[in-house]
Amino acid sequence: MLRMAAEKIKNMEDFARVCGISRPTVSKYFNDPASVRKSTRAQIEAALDRYEYQPNIYAVNQNRRQTKNIGLVVPNLIDPFFAAIARTIESLIIDAGYNPLLLSSHGGPDQEIANLNSLRAIKPAGVLLAPLGRASNADMLSAFSKEIPTVLFDNNLDDVGEAFFGSDSEQSIGVIVDYLCETGEPPVFFEMKTPVNPNAYKRRSAYLSAMARRGEEPNLIQVAGEGWDFEEIGFREGSKMIAQRDLPTNTVLCSNDRLAIGLLSAAYEGGIQVGRGGDSALRIAGHDDHPFSRYTSPSLTTVSQDYSAISARSVDAILGLIETEERKGDREIALFKGHLVKRGSA
């Protein structure tokens, strides 16, 4: 068949783009054409007739004969946020014709390394890793990522993995600070003094920048607490804060939704009405759009992370590393904007 002159397709990512079909689905087709819908198969095969592209099937099959497993390591599966993003990533991995192996580090650096050692033993095709961050053994993670294709999401560590995908804290915190300032008193920032998650430091910095941009005086409320029991810390330290009744404002922006959920409970126990109405004494907002945030009382105003986009880019990146066996040299970093979610608490 005579092929039309068309743009040169260099890799499967380019081919998926011109097909108008997701990269995982295209990858699944090349693994087993019968595994995709008939209409999708026809669309892909029409594109193959049109464009000068042939995947490196030998390299792909060599990888797949060795393993069809992709490791997925998250900090803590008891956190519904990580459970939700893991489910999304697992589905994308399965759609691409691979087997996801989900492991939790349970908030501990030793378990994080044990997870990677377990994966190393079965020679996975690649690994998607949300590292603990500050508590991680960065040198050991870097060594692992030089041996096995690795992509980071949620938390970034320099010199670990071929790519990182996460949220744009400057943008997302800026959006909610603007909203709170424009609808009431400027917010204080409620956080743990020594956060376990590096994103908390970025959010602190973003809060200070946003308040300075608006010409407002920033106020940090840094409370005691370590580990992943954010709700308990928010409740315990929030109860102390409410009992003292010396807040410089009636608006509190929490570093994450789980701290905000604890603070909401503390306000209820302290007889403080939270909300946007004139009868409310306190406004509380968070960050992440945690799966439980819409079911608090009142429901929590927050900023949602675009974890669908983060998941899709992370899976696309690891598939590219697996299928091309190419290390790009320069780490790819992409940050995604958050979306303000207005609810009853602020």
Side-chain angles (χ1 to χ4, degrees), residues 113-145:
I113 296 302
N115 288 338
L116 296 182
N117 286 336
S118 295
L119 290 170
R120 181 187 280 113
I122 62 171
K123 299 180 180 179
V127 171
L128 290 164
L129 170 65
L132 296 172
R134 183 176 61 87
S136 293
N137 186 322
D139 290 340
M140 294 188 73
L141 265 61
S142 178
F144 176 88
S145 69

Side-chain angles (χ1 to χ4, degrees), residues 24-334:
T25 302
V26 171
S27 177
K28 189 176 182 181
Y29 167 85
F30 285 120
N31 184 44
D32 178 9
S35 67
V36 301
R37 288 183 299 179
K38 184 177 181 180
S39 59
T40 302
R41 186 163 67 249
Q43 190 173 344
I44 293 172
E45 290 170 354
L48 285 171
D49 283 338
R50 178 184 174 100
Y51 295 97
E52 294 286 347
Y53 175 69
Q54 276 195 326
N56 188 347
I57 296 297
Y58 174 77
V60 172
N61 285 341
Q62 283 295 99
N63 274 322
R64 288 177 179 171
R65 277 197 292 271
Q66 182 181 19
T67 175
K68 290 183 65 177
N69 299 320
I70 293 178
L72 173 56
V73 183
V74 298
N76 207 324
L77 271 176
I78 65 171
D79 186 328
F81 173 80
F82 285 111
I85 195 169
R87 283 197 301 272
T88 302
I89 291 175
E90 279 186 310
S91 295
L92 293 170
I93 290 172
I94 292 168
D95 286 346
Y98 286 82
N99 303 316
L101 299 177
L102 176 59
L103 299 170
S104 171
S105 299
H106 302 295
D110 291 342
Q111 186 60 50
E112 184 171 65
I113 296 302
N115 288 338
L116 296 182
N117 286 336
S118 295
L119 290 170
R120 181 187 280 113
I122 62 171
K123 299 180 180 179
V127 171
L128 290 164
L129 170 65
L132 296 172
R134 183 176 61 87
S136 293
N137 186 322
D139 290 340
M140 294 188 73
L141 265 61
S142 178
F144 176 88
S145 69
K146 288 177 171 59
E147 179 183 346
I148 294 172
T150 303
V151 169
L152 268 57
F153 65 98
D154 187 64
N155 278 331
N156 192 20
L157 292 174
D158 293 336
D159 198 37
V160 177
E162 298 295 308
F164 166 71
F165 304 102
S167 294
D168 184 344
S169 295
E170 285 288 333
Q171 179 271 338
S172 59
I173 290 292
V175 163
I176 198 160
V177 166
D178 285 344
Y179 169 73
L180 294 173
C181 288
E182 290 163 8
T183 55
E185 296 181 8
V188 299
F189 192 69
F190 184 79
E191 62 169 349
M192 294 160 60
K193 187 174 183 179
T194 308
V196 67
N197 190 314
N199 288 327
Y201 292 101
K202 297 176 184 177
R203 294 173 189 179
R204 176 192 300 169
S205 176
Y207 165 78
L208 295 173
S209 297
M211 293 291 278
R213 171 174 53 80
R214 297 191 61 89
E216 300 287 356
E217 183 70 26
N219 285 278
L220 299 177
I221 298 178
Q222 298 179 316
V223 301
E226 294 186 359
W228 291 82
D229 295 327
F230 300 118
E231 293 88 355
E232 193 276 331
I233 293 168
F235 176 79
R236 183 188 67 231
E237 300 301 322
S239 296
K240 296 176 185 177
M241 180 183 72
I242 289 169
Q244 293 168 0
R245 298 183 185 273
D246 60 354
L247 281 172
T249 173
N250 72 353
T251 305
V252 181
L253 172 59
C254 296
S255 178
N256 63 59
D257 283 355
R258 292 182 60 191
L259 283 173
I261 289 170
L263 181 56
L264 282 170
S265 181
Y268 178 82
E269 291 286 328
I272 303 297
Q273 185 168 335
V274 176
R276 292 191 284 182
D279 296 335
S280 298
L282 189 63
R283 297 193 303 161
I284 296 174
H287 189 288
D288 291 337
D289 198 20
H290 187 281
F292 293 167
S293 63
R294 69 191 64 188
Y295 303 116
T296 58
S297 182
S299 55
L300 183 64
T301 291
T302 185
V303 179
S304 66
Q305 295 193 53
D306 191 355
Y307 62 79
S308 293
I310 293 170
S311 300
R313 285 292 296 276
S314 299
V315 173
D316 279 352
I318 199 65
L319 289 176
L321 290 171
I322 294 167
E323 291 161 359
T324 64
E325 297 185 319
E326 292 179 0
R327 299 293 181 103
K328 297 180 180 179
D330 295 331
R331 285 182 88 230
E332 180 183 1
I333 296 178

